[in-house]
Amino acid sequence: MRRRVAIADIIETRLSRRRALKGIAAGGAFGLFGCASTGPATSATGDGSAPLAFTEVSRATGDRHHVAAGYSAQVLIRQGDPIRRAGPQYRPGRQTGAEQEQQFGTDNDFIAYMPLPRGSNSSARGLLGVNHENHRALLCFPGVKSLAQLTREQCEVQMAAQGFSIIEIAKEGNRWRLVDDSTANRRISANTEMRISGPAAGHPRMRTPSDPSGTRVLGTFNNCAGGTTPWGTILSAEENVQIYFSGDAAQGPEAATRRRYNITGRNLRYEAWGRYFDRFNMDQAPNESNRFGWIVEIDPYDPKSTPVKRSALGRAAHECATQAVSHDGRVAFYSGDDARMEYVYKFVTQDRYDASRPEANRDLLDRGTLYVARFEANGRMRWLPLVHGQGPLTAANGFHSQADVVIEARRAGDLLGATPMDRPEDVEAHPLTGRIYVVCTFNESRKPDQVNAANPRANNRFGHIVEIVPPLVNGKPDHAATDCEWGFFLLGGNPADPAHGARYGGAVSANGWLAAPDNVAFDPKGRIWISTDGQDDMAGFNDSLYAAQVSGPGRGVTRAFFNGPRGSEICGPEFTPDGRTLFLAVQHPGEEKGSTFDKPSTRWPDFRDDMPPRSSVLAITRDDGGEIGG
């Protein structure tokens, strides 16, 4: 009981601080921050106080999607669609890996809209970069009843289906189309050669029989959220890589590291891969798993460019890598480690971003400082440097170089006393104010004696969003600062049920409260849009997209805008610079217990007996052509 009282007091203290900051914010543009550069695809200048002017959608549990009245949701591209003219058509059950390499991938997640031409603010033509997180064999392959039974050919399809897609798109009227003859259209998969850079490049722990140099690696997979850079590249985050590697994880010098990253070699979604491909078998390639769990930088404008795994940003179950230009021109990249009781990170470049010299920015992500977050009960938070030789990160604790620190970023965070979070997923900086929004999806495994200031609920089934306020230098946010303030933006759940412990900025409707927040984005007016992942399990209705003001009277009052089909998660919200199109990823529709290709819980979006439920990207527009949200 004593702990409950203490945690309740902490929540109230943090919310009181938030209300005080809200009062300061009412003076306009939060009354605090200047405008930081936000990269080529962002033109947000609003302070987030503009009211939302759409009618909320009702809760849904059915097999179709629903969007607010006066809006249309166009299916722009689906898994298996060819990305080039005359490319192979999708053939469920007969598909080959070579065909999938020419088709849009599965389980689309993060979306980046990159205007064309490069450096422009065009909202009518651009490149869409899309992550592909998983391949659901039971839903995608007819007749499959066991993951262990997959053939080599089916594994090849799975390897080609993950990674990343780049497609050129164009707007005609109020609809979008694929530019299928664009030379920019390409797939990046588990088979694409990549370069490793930064402190881990070439280290013995990164060397394998197929790559004795430790500087080249085949592929990327389990790509979840991501981000962009001010110099026009895309960052793709490798998340749950532990489900790909079979073999005896307890053997050899990497055993402890594997254990800290939950690499067990058992009960794998991709257990067949290691049977056909030695690199996924730890008995054959013991270091291969060290080469995944990184941030991958991709140049969408150069189809011949080689993706780069930037090891200076650390190894984790990365959910994102989102940027904010600091007051002095250095760039911070924020990331969540999306697992229960894991940490929030940021990387600050050593050198400054130079918009006039693009070539000078090419390797900014190789030099800088990696930090992990610690939240205090008094409303202060510290960014703790993960630097070899400082504090406990020495040879005495097994860290012989910065390579060891970034390969074992989780253990380094343990030793520094970072705050274990409730699945920190997206971490986004507001384009105008510089405030940082840390999205914690849920953690139903947190016990009462494990609660802390920033994660105040045991059995947290509903998730919450933390708001970090960096200090100002000459009126601009200092994203390189190591000391900041923090508070709660919201605590998810139903405020009508005291057992949920939910808190919002004001009264939310019966349709407006949320659970399991996942990704966030900001529209050009600076309002926050929140997608969910797991609302069906945690709250009993389909995953959705919500919007809220971040300042003004409606601050933190969420409103439901979109519902997905059953079994799906909603992710990757991305606006065009003019705010008139919202791209949205609907991932793994029909992913429910007992749902298979032959008997799915939905066949969205095609509703054809010969097609599985297909992850798709939607282009949402207002019927009158106006800005999304009003």
Side-chain angles (χ1 to χ4, degrees), residues 18 61 121 166 171-172 193 233 294 331 403 413 432 464 467-468 505 531 538 552 570 600 603 605 621:
R18 188 192 76 178
T61 57
N121 226 25
I166 300 169
K171 191 176 186 184
E172 297 175 350
E193 184 171 308
T233 59
W294 304 101
V331 190
L432 176 63
H464 58 280
E467 187 177 47
I468 299 172
S531 65
M538 299 299 149
I570 308 305
R603 289 195 184 274
T621 53

Side-chain angles (χ1 to χ4, degrees), residues 195-199 229 231 233 235 297 306-313 331 333 347-354 357-369:
R195 181 167 64 89
I196 301 169
S197 72
T229 69
W231 48 92
T233 59
L235 302 178
E297 185 174 15
T306 299
V308 184
K309 296 197 178 187
R310 299 291 185 181
S311 68
L313 277 69
V331 190
F333 291 87
F347 174 82
V348 180
T349 62
Q350 172 184 293
D351 302 318
R352 293 170 172 79
Y353 164 60
D354 187 346
R357 299 174 56 234
E359 70 282 356
N361 306 311
R362 185 172 296 118
D363 294 317
L364 279 184
L365 292 177
D366 287 341
R367 298 178 299 276
T369 303

Side-chain angles (χ1 to χ4, degrees), residues 43 123 523-525 575-582 620 625-629:
S43 61
S123 293
D523 65 24
K525 287 185 168 66
F575 290 89
T576 50
D578 64 4
R580 296 174 186 270
T581 299
L582 167 62
I620 298 177
E627 284 193 48
I628 305 292

